[in-house]
Amino acid sequence: MKSSHSNHGRDQATAPALSLRDLSRADWQSFGAQEIAYIRPMVVNGVHAMAIHAADGTPIGAAPNAELAIAAILQHEMAPALVH
């Protein structure tokens, strides 16, 4: 026999997943925009660098390499992510 306490815990565990399914496309595009930044390789005038973008795709900077890009992201209290 299951207690109502264990069922309640399970309902709470699935609640966030259900609410994520209800996010609009615009909500997904802005999800984490102020907390997450991603980096990806780029070439500017023949020089390899790392572009830094907010989670919503907004360009926010560049660095000469991944280590410096990640350091800049962390310095601004954001979480870094690498996009290939």
Side-chain angles (χ1 to χ4, degrees):
M1 181 171 165
K2 295 180 184 176
S3 72
S4 62
H5 182 267
S6 65
N7 287 338
H8 181 69
R10 190 174 316 130
D11 292 341
Q12 286 180 340
T14 59
L18 295 174
S19 64
L20 289 177
R21 290 183 187 146
D22 295 331
L23 288 176
S24 70
R25 183 179 180 122
D27 290 337
W28 274 113
Q29 288 175 333
S30 65
F31 188 75
Q34 300 301 315
E35 295 85 24
I36 300 170
Y38 67 88
I39 62 174
R40 67 176 186 197
M42 67 176 198
V43 178
V44 178
N45 297 327
V47 177
H48 291 272
M50 297 302 287
I52 304 171
H53 296 266
D56 67 355
T58 303
I60 56 176
N65 58 51
E67 292 79 18
L68 290 175
I70 291 170
I73 292 167
L74 293 172
Q75 182 177 6
H76 288 90
E77 299 180 356
M78 298 177 82
L82 178 62
V83 176
H84 296 279

